[in-house]
Amino acid sequence: LTAIRKNENILIYGDYDVDGTTSVALVYSFLKLRYNNLSFYIPDRYSEGYGISTRAIDFACNNNISLIIALDCGIKAVEKIAYAKAKKIDFIICDHHICQGK
Ligand SMILES: [Mn+2]
């Protein structure tokens, strides 16, 4: 809500697998009815892999995106979130996985 009120660019991000892509489709289509400054990002399976990708954070930075909503991933991405934070990018993590150990 804060990002929308401030008219920030928002990126919907999710894994490339079936629950990731359907999550992105659902949240993107829901928010797009109400808000226009929205894009989505699905990482490349082979060159980026699962989880939050540095390339995606750089993409966000280069496109003036200040909020990333991560779906189906991100629960363990402590270093990546710190990297994004240093670039003034906020994260909302919506992940159904369990963070075990580290
Ligand atoms: Mn998944």
Side-chain angles (χ1 to χ4, degrees), residues 33-70:
L33 295 171
R34 293 153 182 86
Y35 189 66
N36 258 325
N37 297 342
L38 205 61
S39 52
F40 63 88
Y41 190 106
I42 306 283
D44 181 82
R45 178 174 189 162
Y46 299 105
S47 62
E48 294 171 277
Y50 275 120
I52 308 299
S53 106
T54 303
R55 195 189 299 167
I57 295 168
D58 292 339
F59 170 85
C61 188
N62 293 335
N63 288 280
N64 197 32
I65 289 162
S66 43
L67 173 64
I68 298 175
I69 301 176

PDB file of all heavy atoms in Angstrom, residues 33-70:
ATOM      1  N   LEU A  33      -5.271  -4.911 -12.198  1.00  0.00           N
ATOM      2  CA  LEU A  33      -6.617  -4.322 -12.293  1.00  0.00           C
ATOM      3  C   LEU A  33      -6.703  -3.009 -11.527  1.00  0.00           C
ATOM      4  O   LEU A  33      -7.585  -2.188 -11.774  1.00  0.00           O
ATOM      5  CB  LEU A  33      -7.667  -5.287 -11.732  1.00  0.00           C
ATOM      6  CG  LEU A  33      -7.874  -6.599 -12.486  1.00  0.00           C
ATOM      7  CD1 LEU A  33      -8.775  -7.525 -11.684  1.00  0.00           C
ATOM      8  CD2 LEU A  33      -8.459  -6.335 -13.861  1.00  0.00           C
ATOM      9  N   ARG A  34      -5.798  -2.840 -10.569  1.00  0.00           N
ATOM     10  CA  ARG A  34      -5.882  -1.694  -9.660  1.00  0.00           C
ATOM     11  C   ARG A  34      -4.722  -0.728  -9.777  1.00  0.00           C
ATOM     12  O   ARG A  34      -4.780   0.401  -9.292  1.00  0.00           O
ATOM     13  CB  ARG A  34      -5.943  -2.221  -8.218  1.00  0.00           C
ATOM     14  CG  ARG A  34      -7.216  -2.959  -7.930  1.00  0.00           C
ATOM     15  CD  ARG A  34      -7.021  -4.000  -6.840  1.00  0.00           C
ATOM     16  NE  ARG A  34      -8.265  -4.721  -6.619  1.00  0.00           N
ATOM     17  CZ  ARG A  34      -8.641  -5.795  -7.333  1.00  0.00           C
ATOM     18  NH1 ARG A  34      -7.869  -6.275  -8.279  1.00  0.00           N
ATOM     19  NH2 ARG A  34      -9.783  -6.389  -7.090  1.00  0.00           N
ATOM     20  N   TYR A  35      -3.620  -1.191 -10.405  1.00  0.00           N
ATOM     21  CA  TYR A  35      -2.386  -0.400 -10.373  1.00  0.00           C
ATOM     22  C   TYR A  35      -1.570  -0.695 -11.624  1.00  0.00           C
ATOM     23  O   TYR A  35      -1.431  -1.856 -12.014  1.00  0.00           O
ATOM     24  CB  TYR A  35      -1.588  -0.768  -9.114  1.00  0.00           C
ATOM     25  CG  TYR A  35      -0.413   0.127  -8.841  1.00  0.00           C
ATOM     26  CD1 TYR A  35      -0.589   1.464  -8.515  1.00  0.00           C
ATOM     27  CD2 TYR A  35       0.888  -0.367  -8.908  1.00  0.00           C
ATOM     28  CE1 TYR A  35       0.496   2.290  -8.264  1.00  0.00           C
ATOM     29  CE2 TYR A  35       1.975   0.448  -8.657  1.00  0.00           C
ATOM     30  CZ  TYR A  35       1.769   1.771  -8.332  1.00  0.00           C
ATOM     31  OH  TYR A  35       2.841   2.580  -8.076  1.00  0.00           O
ATOM     32  N   ASN A  36      -1.012   0.351 -12.227  1.00  0.00           N
ATOM     33  CA  ASN A  36      -0.363   0.187 -13.531  1.00  0.00           C
ATOM     34  C   ASN A  36       1.156   0.017 -13.491  1.00  0.00           C
ATOM     35  O   ASN A  36       1.728  -0.587 -14.401  1.00  0.00           O
ATOM     36  CB  ASN A  36      -0.706   1.373 -14.433  1.00  0.00           C
ATOM     37  CG  ASN A  36      -1.776   0.987 -15.434  1.00  0.00           C
ATOM     38  OD1 ASN A  36      -1.812  -0.149 -15.907  1.00  0.00           O
ATOM     39  ND2 ASN A  36      -2.666   1.912 -15.731  1.00  0.00           N
ATOM     40  N   ASN A  37       1.808   0.572 -12.482  1.00  0.00           N
ATOM     41  CA  ASN A  37       3.280   0.560 -12.466  1.00  0.00           C
ATOM     42  C   ASN A  37       3.796  -0.786 -11.954  1.00  0.00           C
ATOM     43  O   ASN A  37       4.367  -0.884 -10.879  1.00  0.00           O
ATOM     44  CB  ASN A  37       3.826   1.709 -11.624  1.00  0.00           C
ATOM     45  CG  ASN A  37       3.442   3.047 -12.197  1.00  0.00           C
ATOM     46  OD1 ASN A  37       3.059   3.156 -13.362  1.00  0.00           O
ATOM     47  ND2 ASN A  37       3.519   4.077 -11.377  1.00  0.00           N
ATOM     48  N   LEU A  38       3.552  -1.780 -12.773  1.00  0.00           N
ATOM     49  CA  LEU A  38       3.746  -3.152 -12.344  1.00  0.00           C
ATOM     50  C   LEU A  38       4.430  -3.927 -13.464  1.00  0.00           C
ATOM     51  O   LEU A  38       4.096  -3.768 -14.636  1.00  0.00           O
ATOM     52  CB  LEU A  38       2.341  -3.736 -12.121  1.00  0.00           C
ATOM     53  CG  LEU A  38       2.148  -4.897 -11.176  1.00  0.00           C
ATOM     54  CD1 LEU A  38       2.572  -4.510  -9.762  1.00  0.00           C
ATOM     55  CD2 LEU A  38       0.678  -5.314 -11.184  1.00  0.00           C
ATOM     56  N   SER A  39       5.406  -4.754 -13.091  1.00  0.00           N
ATOM     57  CA  SER A  39       5.988  -5.669 -14.065  1.00  0.00           C
ATOM     58  C   SER A  39       6.262  -6.985 -13.356  1.00  0.00           C
ATOM     59  O   SER A  39       6.077  -7.100 -12.149  1.00  0.00           O
ATOM     60  CB  SER A  39       7.258  -5.074 -14.681  1.00  0.00           C
ATOM     61  OG  SER A  39       8.143  -4.666 -13.676  1.00  0.00           O
ATOM     62  N   PHE A  40       6.686  -7.979 -14.130  1.00  0.00           N
ATOM     63  CA  PHE A  40       6.978  -9.275 -13.503  1.00  0.00           C
ATOM     64  C   PHE A  40       8.300  -9.815 -14.012  1.00  0.00           C
ATOM     65  O   PHE A  40       8.813  -9.385 -15.054  1.00  0.00           O
ATOM     66  CB  PHE A  40       5.842 -10.281 -13.728  1.00  0.00           C
ATOM     67  CG  PHE A  40       5.610 -10.641 -15.168  1.00  0.00           C
ATOM     68  CD1 PHE A  40       6.304 -11.690 -15.753  1.00  0.00           C
ATOM     69  CD2 PHE A  40       4.699  -9.930 -15.945  1.00  0.00           C
ATOM     70  CE1 PHE A  40       6.095 -12.022 -17.089  1.00  0.00           C
ATOM     71  CE2 PHE A  40       4.479 -10.250 -17.266  1.00  0.00           C
ATOM     72  CZ  PHE A  40       5.179 -11.303 -17.846  1.00  0.00           C
ATOM     73  N   TYR A  41       8.842 -10.746 -13.288  1.00  0.00           N
ATOM     74  CA  TYR A  41      10.155 -11.318 -13.620  1.00  0.00           C
ATOM     75  C   TYR A  41      10.151 -12.786 -13.216  1.00  0.00           C
ATOM     76  O   TYR A  41       9.872 -13.114 -12.057  1.00  0.00           O
ATOM     77  CB  TYR A  41      11.237 -10.562 -12.859  1.00  0.00           C
ATOM     78  CG  TYR A  41      12.657 -10.870 -13.273  1.00  0.00           C
ATOM     79  CD1 TYR A  41      13.397  -9.962 -14.022  1.00  0.00           C
ATOM     80  CD2 TYR A  41      13.275 -12.070 -12.890  1.00  0.00           C
ATOM     81  CE1 TYR A  41      14.711 -10.236 -14.391  1.00  0.00           C
ATOM     82  CE2 TYR A  41      14.584 -12.343 -13.255  1.00  0.00           C
ATOM     83  CZ  TYR A  41      15.298 -11.422 -14.012  1.00  0.00           C
ATOM     84  OH  TYR A  41      16.601 -11.685 -14.378  1.00  0.00           O
ATOM     85  N   ILE A  42      10.435 -13.633 -14.180  1.00  0.00           N
ATOM     86  CA  ILE A  42      10.633 -15.060 -13.910  1.00  0.00           C
ATOM     87  C   ILE A  42      12.092 -15.366 -14.248  1.00  0.00           C
ATOM     88  O   ILE A  42      12.500 -15.176 -15.397  1.00  0.00           O
ATOM     89  CB  ILE A  42       9.711 -15.939 -14.798  1.00  0.00           C
ATOM     90  CG1 ILE A  42       8.240 -15.529 -14.665  1.00  0.00           C
ATOM     91  CG2 ILE A  42       9.932 -17.424 -14.499  1.00  0.00           C
ATOM     92  CD1 ILE A  42       7.548 -15.981 -13.420  1.00  0.00           C
ATOM     93  N   PRO A  43      12.892 -15.816 -13.289  1.00  0.00           N
ATOM     94  CA  PRO A  43      14.309 -16.069 -13.576  1.00  0.00           C
ATOM     95  C   PRO A  43      14.491 -17.230 -14.547  1.00  0.00           C
ATOM     96  O   PRO A  43      13.666 -18.149 -14.607  1.00  0.00           O
ATOM     97  CB  PRO A  43      14.899 -16.397 -12.204  1.00  0.00           C
ATOM     98  CG  PRO A  43      13.743 -16.859 -11.397  1.00  0.00           C
ATOM     99  CD  PRO A  43      12.540 -16.128 -11.901  1.00  0.00           C
ATOM    100  N   ASP A  44      15.584 -17.185 -15.285  1.00  0.00           N
ATOM    101  CA  ASP A  44      15.914 -18.252 -16.217  1.00  0.00           C
ATOM    102  C   ASP A  44      16.337 -19.502 -15.441  1.00  0.00           C
ATOM    103  O   ASP A  44      17.173 -19.429 -14.532  1.00  0.00           O
ATOM    104  CB  ASP A  44      17.052 -17.796 -17.141  1.00  0.00           C
ATOM    105  CG  ASP A  44      17.409 -18.866 -18.156  1.00  0.00           C
ATOM    106  OD1 ASP A  44      16.696 -18.940 -19.177  1.00  0.00           O
ATOM    107  OD2 ASP A  44      18.366 -19.625 -17.902  1.00  0.00           O
ATOM    108  N   ARG A  45      15.747 -20.613 -15.821  1.00  0.00           N
ATOM    109  CA  ARG A  45      16.009 -21.863 -15.102  1.00  0.00           C
ATOM    110  C   ARG A  45      17.492 -22.221 -15.052  1.00  0.00           C
ATOM    111  O   ARG A  45      18.006 -22.658 -14.019  1.00  0.00           O
ATOM    112  CB  ARG A  45      15.226 -22.996 -15.770  1.00  0.00           C
ATOM    113  CG  ARG A  45      15.472 -24.347 -15.131  1.00  0.00           C
ATOM    114  CD  ARG A  45      14.568 -25.397 -15.736  1.00  0.00           C
ATOM    115  NE  ARG A  45      14.670 -26.638 -14.974  1.00  0.00           N
ATOM    116  CZ  ARG A  45      13.774 -27.614 -15.042  1.00  0.00           C
ATOM    117  NH1 ARG A  45      12.720 -27.486 -15.817  1.00  0.00           N
ATOM    118  NH2 ARG A  45      13.927 -28.700 -14.330  1.00  0.00           N
ATOM    119  N   TYR A  46      18.192 -22.049 -16.175  1.00  0.00           N
ATOM    120  CA  TYR A  46      19.569 -22.542 -16.261  1.00  0.00           C
ATOM    121  C   TYR A  46      20.604 -21.505 -15.837  1.00  0.00           C
ATOM    122  O   TYR A  46      21.579 -21.836 -15.180  1.00  0.00           O
ATOM    123  CB  TYR A  46      19.846 -23.046 -17.670  1.00  0.00           C
ATOM    124  CG  TYR A  46      18.921 -24.192 -18.024  1.00  0.00           C
ATOM    125  CD1 TYR A  46      17.850 -24.005 -18.895  1.00  0.00           C
ATOM    126  CD2 TYR A  46      19.086 -25.436 -17.418  1.00  0.00           C
ATOM    127  CE1 TYR A  46      16.977 -25.050 -19.179  1.00  0.00           C
ATOM    128  CE2 TYR A  46      18.215 -26.491 -17.694  1.00  0.00           C
ATOM    129  CZ  TYR A  46      17.162 -26.289 -18.579  1.00  0.00           C
ATOM    130  OH  TYR A  46      16.295 -27.309 -18.837  1.00  0.00           O
ATOM    131  N   SER A  47      20.381 -20.243 -16.206  1.00  0.00           N
ATOM    132  CA  SER A  47      21.426 -19.264 -15.882  1.00  0.00           C
ATOM    133  C   SER A  47      21.204 -18.576 -14.533  1.00  0.00           C
ATOM    134  O   SER A  47      22.137 -18.017 -13.968  1.00  0.00           O
ATOM    135  CB  SER A  47      21.532 -18.221 -16.991  1.00  0.00           C
ATOM    136  OG  SER A  47      20.334 -17.494 -17.120  1.00  0.00           O
ATOM    137  N   GLU A  48      19.977 -18.622 -13.993  1.00  0.00           N
ATOM    138  CA  GLU A  48      19.711 -17.987 -12.703  1.00  0.00           C
ATOM    139  C   GLU A  48      19.286 -18.990 -11.634  1.00  0.00           C
ATOM    140  O   GLU A  48      19.618 -18.831 -10.469  1.00  0.00           O
ATOM    141  CB  GLU A  48      18.625 -16.905 -12.859  1.00  0.00           C
ATOM    142  CG  GLU A  48      19.064 -15.731 -13.704  1.00  0.00           C
ATOM    143  CD  GLU A  48      17.918 -14.788 -14.016  1.00  0.00           C
ATOM    144  OE1 GLU A  48      17.163 -15.052 -14.978  1.00  0.00           O
ATOM    145  OE2 GLU A  48      17.769 -13.800 -13.288  1.00  0.00           O
ATOM    146  N   GLY A  49      18.517 -19.997 -12.032  1.00  0.00           N
ATOM    147  CA  GLY A  49      18.120 -21.042 -11.089  1.00  0.00           C
ATOM    148  C   GLY A  49      16.980 -20.619 -10.171  1.00  0.00           C
ATOM    149  O   GLY A  49      16.319 -19.607 -10.401  1.00  0.00           O
ATOM    150  N   TYR A  50      16.772 -21.406  -9.121  1.00  0.00           N
ATOM    151  CA  TYR A  50      15.710 -21.127  -8.150  1.00  0.00           C
ATOM    152  C   TYR A  50      16.087 -19.954  -7.253  1.00  0.00           C
ATOM    153  O   TYR A  50      17.264 -19.666  -7.044  1.00  0.00           O
ATOM    154  CB  TYR A  50      15.480 -22.352  -7.256  1.00  0.00           C
ATOM    155  CG  TYR A  50      14.536 -23.374  -7.829  1.00  0.00           C
ATOM    156  CD1 TYR A  50      14.963 -24.675  -8.076  1.00  0.00           C
ATOM    157  CD2 TYR A  50      13.206 -23.057  -8.088  1.00  0.00           C
ATOM    158  CE1 TYR A  50      14.100 -25.635  -8.590  1.00  0.00           C
ATOM    159  CE2 TYR A  50      12.336 -24.005  -8.603  1.00  0.00           C
ATOM    160  CZ  TYR A  50      12.790 -25.293  -8.846  1.00  0.00           C
ATOM    161  OH  TYR A  50      11.929 -26.234  -9.346  1.00  0.00           O
ATOM    162  N   GLY A  51      15.076 -19.336  -6.701  1.00  0.00           N
ATOM    163  CA  GLY A  51      15.293 -18.320  -5.674  1.00  0.00           C
ATOM    164  C   GLY A  51      15.528 -16.930  -6.243  1.00  0.00           C
ATOM    165  O   GLY A  51      15.396 -16.694  -7.444  1.00  0.00           O
ATOM    166  N   ILE A  52      15.862 -16.001  -5.350  1.00  0.00           N
ATOM    167  CA  ILE A  52      16.075 -14.611  -5.740  1.00  0.00           C
ATOM    168  C   ILE A  52      17.389 -14.509  -6.518  1.00  0.00           C
ATOM    169  O   ILE A  52      18.424 -14.975  -6.050  1.00  0.00           O
ATOM    170  CB  ILE A  52      16.155 -13.702  -4.492  1.00  0.00           C
ATOM    171  CG1 ILE A  52      14.943 -13.906  -3.561  1.00  0.00           C
ATOM    172  CG2 ILE A  52      16.296 -12.243  -4.909  1.00  0.00           C
ATOM    173  CD1 ILE A  52      13.615 -13.586  -4.172  1.00  0.00           C
ATOM    174  N   SER A  53      17.341 -13.896  -7.673  1.00  0.00           N
ATOM    175  CA  SER A  53      18.552 -13.789  -8.490  1.00  0.00           C
ATOM    176  C   SER A  53      19.124 -12.373  -8.444  1.00  0.00           C
ATOM    177  O   SER A  53      18.387 -11.380  -8.414  1.00  0.00           O
ATOM    178  CB  SER A  53      18.248 -14.220  -9.929  1.00  0.00           C
ATOM    179  OG  SER A  53      18.179 -13.130 -10.796  1.00  0.00           O
ATOM    180  N   THR A  54      20.441 -12.307  -8.419  1.00  0.00           N
ATOM    181  CA  THR A  54      21.133 -11.017  -8.442  1.00  0.00           C
ATOM    182  C   THR A  54      20.791 -10.258  -9.721  1.00  0.00           C
ATOM    183  O   THR A  54      20.612  -9.039  -9.706  1.00  0.00           O
ATOM    184  CB  THR A  54      22.655 -11.250  -8.356  1.00  0.00           C
ATOM    185  OG1 THR A  54      22.925 -12.004  -7.175  1.00  0.00           O
ATOM    186  CG2 THR A  54      23.420  -9.941  -8.278  1.00  0.00           C
ATOM    187  N   ARG A  55      20.663 -10.991 -10.831  1.00  0.00           N
ATOM    188  CA  ARG A  55      20.323 -10.354 -12.111  1.00  0.00           C
ATOM    189  C   ARG A  55      18.971  -9.652 -12.022  1.00  0.00           C
ATOM    190  O   ARG A  55      18.793  -8.564 -12.575  1.00  0.00           O
ATOM    191  CB  ARG A  55      20.320 -11.400 -13.226  1.00  0.00           C
ATOM    192  CG  ARG A  55      20.331 -10.781 -14.622  1.00  0.00           C
ATOM    193  CD  ARG A  55      20.105 -11.817 -15.714  1.00  0.00           C
ATOM    194  NE  ARG A  55      21.136 -12.838 -15.731  1.00  0.00           N
ATOM    195  CZ  ARG A  55      21.041 -13.981 -16.419  1.00  0.00           C
ATOM    196  NH1 ARG A  55      19.968 -14.239 -17.135  1.00  0.00           N
ATOM    197  NH2 ARG A  55      22.020 -14.866 -16.380  1.00  0.00           N
ATOM    198  N   ALA A  56      18.031 -10.260 -11.307  1.00  0.00           N
ATOM    199  CA  ALA A  56      16.697  -9.657 -11.155  1.00  0.00           C
ATOM    200  C   ALA A  56      16.774  -8.377 -10.322  1.00  0.00           C
ATOM    201  O   ALA A  56      16.093  -7.388 -10.614  1.00  0.00           O
ATOM    202  CB  ALA A  56      15.738 -10.647 -10.501  1.00  0.00           C
ATOM    203  N   ILE A  57      17.603  -8.384  -9.287  1.00  0.00           N
ATOM    204  CA  ILE A  57      17.763  -7.187  -8.454  1.00  0.00           C
ATOM    205  C   ILE A  57      18.405  -6.070  -9.277  1.00  0.00           C
ATOM    206  O   ILE A  57      17.984  -4.910  -9.211  1.00  0.00           O
ATOM    207  CB  ILE A  57      18.587  -7.513  -7.187  1.00  0.00           C
ATOM    208  CG1 ILE A  57      17.803  -8.497  -6.303  1.00  0.00           C
ATOM    209  CG2 ILE A  57      18.924  -6.235  -6.407  1.00  0.00           C
ATOM    210  CD1 ILE A  57      18.616  -9.110  -5.180  1.00  0.00           C
ATOM    211  N   ASP A  58      19.385  -6.424 -10.092  1.00  0.00           N
ATOM    212  CA  ASP A  58      20.013  -5.433 -10.976  1.00  0.00           C
ATOM    213  C   ASP A  58      19.005  -4.915 -12.011  1.00  0.00           C
ATOM    214  O   ASP A  58      18.975  -3.722 -12.320  1.00  0.00           O
ATOM    215  CB  ASP A  58      21.233  -6.038 -11.677  1.00  0.00           C
ATOM    216  CG  ASP A  58      22.374  -6.320 -10.701  1.00  0.00           C
ATOM    217  OD1 ASP A  58      22.386  -5.706  -9.618  1.00  0.00           O
ATOM    218  OD2 ASP A  58      23.238  -7.155 -11.024  1.00  0.00           O
ATOM    219  N   PHE A  59      18.163  -5.820 -12.528  1.00  0.00           N
ATOM    220  CA  PHE A  59      17.092  -5.424 -13.457  1.00  0.00           C
ATOM    221  C   PHE A  59      16.177  -4.402 -12.785  1.00  0.00           C
ATOM    222  O   PHE A  59      15.823  -3.374 -13.375  1.00  0.00           O
ATOM    223  CB  PHE A  59      16.295  -6.660 -13.904  1.00  0.00           C
ATOM    224  CG  PHE A  59      15.046  -6.334 -14.669  1.00  0.00           C
ATOM    225  CD1 PHE A  59      15.093  -6.104 -16.041  1.00  0.00           C
ATOM    226  CD2 PHE A  59      13.821  -6.250 -14.016  1.00  0.00           C
ATOM    227  CE1 PHE A  59      13.931  -5.794 -16.752  1.00  0.00           C
ATOM    228  CE2 PHE A  59      12.652  -5.940 -14.723  1.00  0.00           C
ATOM    229  CZ  PHE A  59      12.715  -5.704 -16.090  1.00  0.00           C
ATOM    230  N   ALA A  60      15.799  -4.683 -11.533  1.00  0.00           N
ATOM    231  CA  ALA A  60      14.924  -3.773 -10.787  1.00  0.00           C
ATOM    232  C   ALA A  60      15.594  -2.415 -10.609  1.00  0.00           C
ATOM    233  O   ALA A  60      14.993  -1.363 -10.851  1.00  0.00           O
ATOM    234  CB  ALA A  60      14.575  -4.382  -9.433  1.00  0.00           C
ATOM    235  N   CYS A  61      16.849  -2.439 -10.217  1.00  0.00           N
ATOM    236  CA  CYS A  61      17.601  -1.207 -10.000  1.00  0.00           C
ATOM    237  C   CYS A  61      17.675  -0.383 -11.287  1.00  0.00           C
ATOM    238  O   CYS A  61      17.434   0.827 -11.277  1.00  0.00           O
ATOM    239  CB  CYS A  61      19.000  -1.568  -9.488  1.00  0.00           C
ATOM    240  SG  CYS A  61      19.945  -0.139  -8.962  1.00  0.00           S
ATOM    241  N   ASN A  62      17.952  -1.036 -12.395  1.00  0.00           N
ATOM    242  CA  ASN A  62      18.088  -0.340 -13.685  1.00  0.00           C
ATOM    243  C   ASN A  62      16.757   0.182 -14.222  1.00  0.00           C
ATOM    244  O   ASN A  62      16.736   1.006 -15.135  1.00  0.00           O
ATOM    245  CB  ASN A  62      18.727  -1.272 -14.724  1.00  0.00           C
ATOM    246  CG  ASN A  62      20.163  -1.605 -14.386  1.00  0.00           C
ATOM    247  OD1 ASN A  62      20.832  -0.835 -13.697  1.00  0.00           O
ATOM    248  ND2 ASN A  62      20.638  -2.759 -14.831  1.00  0.00           N
ATOM    249  N   ASN A  63      15.649  -0.333 -13.693  1.00  0.00           N
ATOM    250  CA  ASN A  63      14.331   0.078 -14.175  1.00  0.00           C
ATOM    251  C   ASN A  63      13.542   0.868 -13.127  1.00  0.00           C
ATOM    252  O   ASN A  63      12.308   0.935 -13.198  1.00  0.00           O
ATOM    253  CB  ASN A  63      13.549  -1.141 -14.659  1.00  0.00           C
ATOM    254  CG  ASN A  63      14.108  -1.685 -15.959  1.00  0.00           C
ATOM    255  OD1 ASN A  63      13.838  -1.163 -17.029  1.00  0.00           O
ATOM    256  ND2 ASN A  63      14.946  -2.716 -15.869  1.00  0.00           N
ATOM    257  N   ASN A  64      14.267   1.426 -12.154  1.00  0.00           N
ATOM    258  CA  ASN A  64      13.649   2.291 -11.139  1.00  0.00           C
ATOM    259  C   ASN A  64      12.528   1.586 -10.372  1.00  0.00           C
ATOM    260  O   ASN A  64      11.520   2.194 -10.019  1.00  0.00           O
ATOM    261  CB  ASN A  64      13.138   3.577 -11.800  1.00  0.00           C
ATOM    262  CG  ASN A  64      12.860   4.674 -10.802  1.00  0.00           C
ATOM    263  OD1 ASN A  64      13.538   4.754  -9.762  1.00  0.00           O
ATOM    264  ND2 ASN A  64      11.859   5.499 -11.078  1.00  0.00           N
ATOM    265  N   ILE A  65      12.724   0.306 -10.107  1.00  0.00           N
ATOM    266  CA  ILE A  65      11.746  -0.471  -9.328  1.00  0.00           C
ATOM    267  C   ILE A  65      12.208  -0.462  -7.876  1.00  0.00           C
ATOM    268  O   ILE A  65      13.360  -0.758  -7.577  1.00  0.00           O
ATOM    269  CB  ILE A  65      11.651  -1.910  -9.883  1.00  0.00           C
ATOM    270  CG1 ILE A  65      10.940  -1.894 -11.242  1.00  0.00           C
ATOM    271  CG2 ILE A  65      10.943  -2.838  -8.898  1.00  0.00           C
ATOM    272  CD1 ILE A  65      11.151  -3.133 -12.074  1.00  0.00           C
ATOM    273  N   SER A  66      11.311  -0.098  -6.971  1.00  0.00           N
ATOM    274  CA  SER A  66      11.712   0.038  -5.571  1.00  0.00           C
ATOM    275  C   SER A  66      11.019  -0.944  -4.647  1.00  0.00           C
ATOM    276  O   SER A  66      11.235  -0.923  -3.432  1.00  0.00           O
ATOM    277  CB  SER A  66      11.477   1.473  -5.097  1.00  0.00           C
ATOM    278  OG  SER A  66      10.237   1.944  -5.559  1.00  0.00           O
ATOM    279  N   LEU A  67      10.181  -1.822  -5.210  1.00  0.00           N
ATOM    280  CA  LEU A  67       9.592  -2.906  -4.406  1.00  0.00           C
ATOM    281  C   LEU A  67       9.541  -4.174  -5.253  1.00  0.00           C
ATOM    282  O   LEU A  67       9.052  -4.151  -6.386  1.00  0.00           O
ATOM    283  CB  LEU A  67       8.176  -2.551  -3.932  1.00  0.00           C
ATOM    284  CG  LEU A  67       7.406  -3.672  -3.229  1.00  0.00           C
ATOM    285  CD1 LEU A  67       8.076  -4.088  -1.912  1.00  0.00           C
ATOM    286  CD2 LEU A  67       5.954  -3.289  -2.981  1.00  0.00           C
ATOM    287  N   ILE A  68      10.048  -5.255  -4.688  1.00  0.00           N
ATOM    288  CA  ILE A  68       9.928  -6.578  -5.321  1.00  0.00           C
ATOM    289  C   ILE A  68       9.063  -7.438  -4.410  1.00  0.00           C
ATOM    290  O   ILE A  68       9.317  -7.540  -3.206  1.00  0.00           O
ATOM    291  CB  ILE A  68      11.307  -7.241  -5.517  1.00  0.00           C
ATOM    292  CG1 ILE A  68      12.187  -6.399  -6.452  1.00  0.00           C
ATOM    293  CG2 ILE A  68      11.149  -8.668  -6.075  1.00  0.00           C
ATOM    294  CD1 ILE A  68      13.625  -6.918  -6.602  1.00  0.00           C
ATOM    295  N   ILE A  69       8.019  -8.016  -4.978  1.00  0.00           N
ATOM    296  CA  ILE A  69       7.196  -8.976  -4.240  1.00  0.00           C
ATOM    297  C   ILE A  69       7.603 -10.366  -4.720  1.00  0.00           C
ATOM    298  O   ILE A  69       7.387 -10.715  -5.883  1.00  0.00           O
ATOM    299  CB  ILE A  69       5.690  -8.726  -4.465  1.00  0.00           C
ATOM    300  CG1 ILE A  69       5.321  -7.303  -4.023  1.00  0.00           C
ATOM    301  CG2 ILE A  69       4.864  -9.766  -3.701  1.00  0.00           C
ATOM    302  CD1 ILE A  69       3.866  -6.917  -4.292  1.00  0.00           C
ATOM    303  N   ALA A  70       8.247 -11.135  -3.834  1.00  0.00           N
ATOM    304  CA  ALA A  70       8.756 -12.457  -4.193  1.00  0.00           C
ATOM    305  C   ALA A  70       7.742 -13.518  -3.802  1.00  0.00           C
ATOM    306  O   ALA A  70       7.286 -13.570  -2.657  1.00  0.00           O
ATOM    307  CB  ALA A  70      10.087 -12.713  -3.493  1.00  0.00           C
TER     308      ALA A  70
END
